[in-house]
Amino acid sequence: MGTLGFLGEWKFSDYKRAFREVYMSGAPASEREAVISPAYTLKTLYEEHAAPADKAADGWSTIRGKSLGTHRGARVLLRNRLKVGIYSPNGTPLSLSSSSKNPNDPQPINTIHALNEVLLHRGADPHLAIISVLVNGRFLTEAVGDGMIISTPTGSTAYSLSAGGSIIHPLVPSLLLTPICPRSLSFRPLVLPANVEIVLRLSEKNRGRRVEVSVDGRSMDGGLDVGGEIRVRGEEVRRGGGEEGWRGGVPCLMRGDGGGGGAGDDGWVGGLNGLLKFNYPFGEEG
């Protein structure tokens, strides 16, 4: 919603109208895995998370599906996140805040999430960073440059895009590995499956002994020392058994196009053209 992403479809001031519109429309969701299934609408999501006293708080809930009809294309999209673990050279788990570092914390990778990206950057150091990149435990390359970005499809239109990364549709479960100003011109961005683990390890060859770490714009206190590493994998989005409901992801309301875009239209193409001005002719008025 709004400023959560460059392709956000709603202004935050409209959130009440947005929820009300999607809820009352009773519109089905897309059949894709990353989107809540047709039988699982916003009504189900609302009932799972609302307190009993809240469920009957508004009279509009009794007219769901009557005022707007199911022809509306509004849906609920679960946007994938990253699960991030930060580790010191000796393998000790670290957190973003120095005041909350806990050497006995056994599961930091499950407590740090990113909707957009994880950033490893040389910061104010004049020397290029040297970063070893591993995919599922196998050495991929040694990156030399200003830094590295690992982003989600949602984050593909943020910093990664400015660094030359690809634009990825939010329904594609994937991780985007993008170098920042690499020394080698042959080092291009990579799109990897969301279930792989990517490790970025600060090499001992670094002339600078520390780099900056940022998770969704939040910087790590003190940075990461040589030998430290970041482990990243995509968050699993799944439907639990019984009454467990959906687990993982960030639910987002997708606006109906209202312009006859067809049942398969999810607004993403319109967002590229309207917000990003994708491939817009140079010199013409917007």
Side-chain angles (χ1 to χ4, degrees):
M1 295 180 59
T3 58
L4 280 182
F6 187 77
L7 300 182
E9 301 189 30
W10 303 90
K11 294 184 181 298
F12 185 76
S13 58
D14 295 333
Y15 78 93
K16 289 185 178 180
R17 181 179 62 82
F19 273 95
R20 190 165 302 182
E21 177 180 319
V22 179
Y23 183 90
M24 287 194 295
S25 72
S30 167
E31 69 279 2
R32 295 294 298 274
E33 259 188 351
V35 181
I36 295 176
S37 63
Y40 195 87
T41 61
L42 185 62
K43 177 178 182 294
T44 314
L45 187 70
Y46 177 79
E47 290 176 347
E48 282 185 357
H49 296 282
D54 296 332
K55 293 181 182 178
D58 292 305
W60 54 265
S61 62
T62 63
I63 58 173
R64 177 180 176 271
K66 296 180 181 179
S67 61
L68 297 178
T70 58
H71 65 282
R72 284 300 186 98
R75 293 181 298 277
V76 180
L77 169 67
L78 289 177
R79 292 186 178 269
N80 297 81
R81 297 184 296 179
L82 303 176
K83 292 199 299 184
V84 184
I86 306 174
Y87 297 86
S88 68
N90 62 7
T92 302
L94 303 175
S95 64
L96 290 175
S97 174
S98 58
S99 61
S100 60
K101 289 181 180 178
N102 181 5
N104 298 319
D105 184 2
Q107 51 177 11
I109 198 168
N110 295 325
T111 57
I112 304 178
H113 291 84
L115 180 62
N116 286 316
E117 75 268 316
V118 177
L119 169 66
L120 203 61
H121 195 275
R122 66 185 177 98
D125 195 293
H127 306 295
L128 296 178
I130 304 176
I131 303 169
S132 297
V133 183
L134 295 87
V135 177
N136 277 346
R138 298 190 62 179
F139 177 78
L140 173 66
T141 189
E142 189 172 70
V144 181
D146 282 355
M148 294 291 298
I149 303 170
I150 302 177
S151 71
T152 63
T154 298
S156 68
T157 53
Y159 194 173
S160 175
L161 180 63
S162 299
S166 300
I167 300 174
I168 303 178
H169 194 287
L171 290 181
V172 180
S174 55
L175 303 177
L176 180 56
L177 180 65
T178 307
I180 305 173
C181 299
R183 184 175 65 181
S184 172
L185 296 180
S186 64
F187 191 0
R188 311 311 302 164
L190 295 177
V191 179
L192 301 169
N195 61 351
V196 306
E197 182 182 63
I198 302 175
V199 175
L200 303 180
R201 181 179 301 145
L202 193 58
S203 172
E204 296 286 348
K205 301 177 184 178
N206 275 273
R207 296 174 66 183
R209 308 309 292 172
R210 181 172 293 179
V211 296
E212 295 182 1
V213 177
S214 174
V215 180
D216 271 355
R218 183 183 175 193
S219 298
M220 175 183 177
D221 292 348
L224 189 66
D225 295 327
V226 165
E229 64 183 37
I230 298 176
R231 305 171 192 172
V232 181
R233 68 169 60 242
E235 179 187 30
E236 181 183 8
V237 179
R238 61 181 176 83
R239 178 74 185 274
E243 299 181 356
E244 186 179 354
W246 284 88
R247 293 295 177 266
V250 178
C252 297
L253 302 184
M254 306 297 293
R255 183 196 299 270
D257 67 349
D265 180 54
D266 54 15
W268 185 76
V269 172
L272 281 182
N273 291 329
L275 298 176
L276 187 59
K277 304 299 182 184
F278 181 73
N279 197 29
Y280 202 78
F282 179 77
E284 294 190 11
E285 294 294 332

